[in-house]
Amino acid sequence: MLLLALVLPAQHKREFRGAWIQCVNGQFKGMGTEAMKKTLTYQLNELQKDGCNAIIFQVRPECDALYESNIEPWSYYLTGEQGAKPYPYWDPLAWMVNECHKRGMELHAWINPYRAKTKTAHSNARNHVIVQHPEWTFQYDGLTLLNPALQACRDYICDVVRDIVTRYDVDGLHIDDYFYPYPVAGVQIPDAAQFRANNNGISDRGDWRRYNVNLFIEQLYRTVHDAKPWVKVGVSPFGIYRNQKSDPNGSRTNGLQNYDDLYADVLLWDAKGWMDYCVPQIYWEIGNRAADYDELIHWWSKHITNSDLYIGEDVERTVKYPDPKDPNCHQLGAKMSLHQQLPRVKGTVLWYAKAAVDNVGNYGTTLRNVYWRTPALQPVMEQIDKKAPKKVRKLKHFNFDGQHVLMWLPPKGKDWKDEATRYAVYRFDKGEPETLDGAHLKAVTANPFYEVPTTEQLPCVYVVTALDRLQNESKPAKARVK
């Protein structure tokens, strides 16, 4: 099916445009350093062309690391042997931070907090938490999980998070939808003894489990912001909070529930300010009988009121199903139309990155030519910081044998709240009103220079603004290119 766009939609100046790059599917396992760098370089280049401005990179799949750690072993999903260093040596997280930043993208480190081992058969390294502290774990349907009821586990996970945030220049810390395990019929979570022994005065075991997860989420949020206040904390919950049959305020759906089945009280976290952004995984199609995408995007838009709301999109499912109003098209256009209609929706995260890179159903091409055809800044997060940096200094235009280059000096800043880390570059035809909107944004760059494309028609006017770590924007500086 093809998606036909007769009228190009308006471009948001600020929009989170993310993509999840996962490792737990084994796409990098044993690939080797140079092959993995080549694969990731290609993916980042294609995603940048598609308009992405943020990468959510899985760095801790099962209490092992795709980065150098003194706490946890090297990941099985990197080398194929847990604890084995990559050869030739490299640090994938450090490399990804650098590669994303030089493309003007954010890098969010994605961890799975509780999962210690999947059903995949492999041995654990001697310094893995399963080996060091088996008493912290429990088994469930072939999985090994850190026990959410234990303060020792919460402290351990937050130690890992503090280590990541302190040593790496990440823009966000991201956790996914795995809290208590997804339920399997007839299999009970083995925590009855702990509940009886230490239930904190809570009589209902479901409430007790939610209490345990709530303690972790609050501690995680404070850990990140105590280490680096500008690092965003993001949570990507399962797409249904509660069904109406369980709660009159729930969605008109009939499926697994965050609150009742995973013990994740996402709305409480939003109300308490324990997450900076929320990415519900609304992976279904418009018209799904059990979980209609249209119903769910409206529900989340209504109920997430403090955190930024981004929508987790399933690329393959979107292009698999026809538009309800036009069977000749798939559903990307209809879903993007819903995004445009809901002001609370401030972004999108693609599941998964490789599907967009592979251009399944022309998805990637449509993003770069229609919906994300111009760059976008990140949404502001005034709850963290709203002070803009000073304007760039000494912006000048140079002509080097026909190659036009804009160069400038960073503004002076004292700390993270007013230091420039990136710059926005806008272009205007001569005499055109200089409105700093999304239609005129040409680039977001970490460099203090910009090479004017040789295809640009001259004369024109360029405007450059400074962006701090949270992309608060300075006053403009202007240069005419003749």
Side-chain angles (χ1 to χ4, degrees):
M1 288 178 288
L2 298 176
L3 182 140
L4 305 175
L6 300 178
V7 179
L8 292 178
Q11 297 293 282
H12 291 299
K13 175 179 173 175
R14 292 186 180 271
E15 186 176 25
F16 190 92
R17 301 172 178 175
W20 281 291
I21 296 182
Q22 86 272 41
C23 66
V24 75
N25 65 343
Q27 66 171 320
F28 304 126
K29 187 178 68 177
M31 179 179 279
T33 298
E34 294 309 314
M36 186 171 170
K37 285 182 179 180
K38 183 177 180 181
T39 298
L40 286 169
T41 297
Y42 176 73
Q43 290 186 3
L44 291 178
N45 287 343
E46 292 301 299
L47 291 167
Q48 183 182 23
K49 293 174 187 176
D50 290 344
C52 284
N53 60 16
I55 298 298
I56 299 175
F57 181 52
Q58 190 174 31
V59 299
R60 184 184 183 262
E62 48 180 53
C63 296
D64 54 5
L66 274 81
Y67 60 94
E68 185 173 344
S69 171
N70 291 323
I71 302 174
E72 296 187 316
W74 284 100
S75 179
Y76 163 77
Y77 293 98
L78 178 64
T79 63
E81 178 186 350
Q82 193 175 81
K85 293 182 179 180
Y87 182 83
Y89 177 83
W90 72 310
D91 185 321
L93 177 55
W95 186 88
M96 282 290 285
V97 168
N98 182 63
E99 290 296 312
C100 287
H101 286 178
K102 77 181 186 182
R103 290 170 172 81
M105 294 174 166
E106 290 191 345
L107 189 284
H108 294 224
W110 163 20
I111 71 164
N112 304 88
Y114 298 112
R115 186 171 63 209
K117 191 173 184 180
T118 65
K119 296 180 182 180
T120 304
H122 66 84
S123 59
N124 290 111
R126 287 181 296 175
N127 62 330
H128 192 267
V129 67
I130 288 178
V131 179
Q132 295 290 316
H133 293 284
E135 73 278 10
W136 289 357
T137 68
F138 65 76
Q139 305 289 319
Y140 185 84
D141 190 44
L143 304 175
T144 305
L145 303 162
L146 296 181
N147 192 336
L150 300 180
Q151 183 61 47
C153 291
R154 294 191 283 272
D155 291 342
Y156 175 76
I157 299 165
C158 287
D159 286 344
V160 170
V161 166
R162 185 182 298 107
D163 179 58
I164 293 171
V165 171
T166 302
R167 293 194 299 116
Y168 294 89
D169 190 19
V170 297
D171 302 285
L173 192 286
H174 184 91
I175 63 174
D176 52 24
D177 54 318
Y178 295 99
F179 299 101
Y180 275 88
Y182 275 71
V184 175
V187 182
Q188 299 296 318
I189 297 173
D191 60 0
Q194 284 179 323
F195 175 60
R196 288 192 299 268
N198 186 22
N199 61 12
N200 297 293
I202 300 171
S203 59
D204 179 81
R205 202 190 309 189
D207 289 339
W208 175 72
R209 289 172 180 166
R210 279 182 287 274
Y211 171 78
N212 295 332
V213 178
N214 293 341
L215 288 176
F216 165 67
I217 294 294
E218 181 182 13
Q219 185 176 347
L220 173 76
Y221 188 83
R222 300 194 188 286
T223 297
V224 172
H225 283 283
D226 286 347
K228 287 182 179 175
W230 61 86
V231 174
K232 307 167 189 176
V233 176
V235 180
S236 179
F238 182 72
I240 298 172
Y241 176 69
R242 299 192 87 185
N243 302 310
Q244 273 191 358
K245 67 181 181 181
S246 302
D247 182 345
N249 292 320
S251 52
R252 292 173 295 177
T253 50
N254 183 26
L256 187 99
Q257 304 168 100
N258 275 290
Y259 185 92
D260 303 82
D261 301 313
L262 303 177
Y263 307 99
D265 192 353
V266 185
L267 294 193
L268 177 69
W269 311 340
D270 177 64
K272 293 288 189 179
W274 295 341
M275 57 184 181
D276 296 310
Y277 68 88
C278 179
V279 192
Q281 299 171 14
I282 310 180
Y283 288 168
W284 301 275
E285 71 277 11
I286 298 171
N288 184 286
R289 291 184 178 181
D292 182 9
Y293 179 97
D294 191 315
E295 163 71 13
L296 284 166
I297 193 173
H298 280 89
W299 189 93
W300 286 100
S301 179
K302 178 181 177 182
H303 289 88
I304 293 295
T305 57
N306 291 322
S307 315
D308 273 10
L309 176 62
Y310 314 142
I311 304 301
E313 298 281 359
D314 187 316
V315 172
E316 293 179 338
R317 186 181 288 263
T318 296
V319 301
K320 177 181 178 181
Y321 290 94
D323 186 312
K325 296 180 180 179
D326 186 353
N328 295 314
C329 303
H330 58 57
Q331 291 196 355
L332 176 56
K335 288 185 175 183
M336 285 297 185
S337 179
L338 288 170
H339 282 233
Q340 296 276 346
Q341 295 168 26
L342 298 170
R344 284 289 305 144
V345 175
K346 297 183 179 180
T348 305
V349 183
L350 307 179
W351 176 259
Y352 48 101
K354 189 176 183 298
V357 169
D358 290 345
N359 201 26
V360 176
N362 219 30
Y363 195 104
T365 299
T366 307
L367 287 181
R368 69 179 67 178
N369 292 333
V370 182
Y371 297 105
W372 294 353
R373 65 185 184 276
T374 62
L377 307 184
Q378 296 294 336
V380 294
M381 288 201 167
E382 293 187 353
Q383 74 274 22
I384 301 177
D385 173 44
K386 58 182 179 181
K387 181 183 177 182
K390 294 180 179 179
K391 65 190 297 185
V392 303
R393 298 176 293 143
K394 298 183 179 180
L395 172 63
K396 292 183 179 180
H397 159 239
F398 297 91
N399 186 345
F400 299 107
D401 295 327
Q403 175 60 67
H404 297 275
V405 180
L406 301 173
M407 303 182 74
W408 58 87
L409 293 177
K412 293 181 179 180
K414 296 180 181 179
D415 58 25
W416 68 269
K417 290 186 177 182
D418 53 14
E419 290 178 342
T421 58
R422 295 179 182 87
Y423 305 93
V425 181
Y426 301 83
R427 181 196 177 278
F428 304 91
D429 290 324
K430 184 178 179 180
E432 187 177 15
E434 293 166 15
T435 304
L436 304 186
D437 57 15
H440 292 94
L441 184 61
K442 301 298 290 186
V444 179
T445 178
N447 300 319
F449 62 86
Y450 176 73
E451 295 183 6
V452 177
T454 56
T455 55
E456 292 286 8
Q457 293 202 0
L458 306 178
C460 65
V461 174
Y462 276 92
V463 169
V464 178
T465 59
L467 307 170
D468 64 16
R469 285 189 174 272
L470 291 165
Q471 300 211 351
N472 295 299
E473 188 172 24
S474 74
K475 294 180 179 179
K478 181 167 62 175
R480 290 180 173 83
V481 179
K482 299 180 181 179

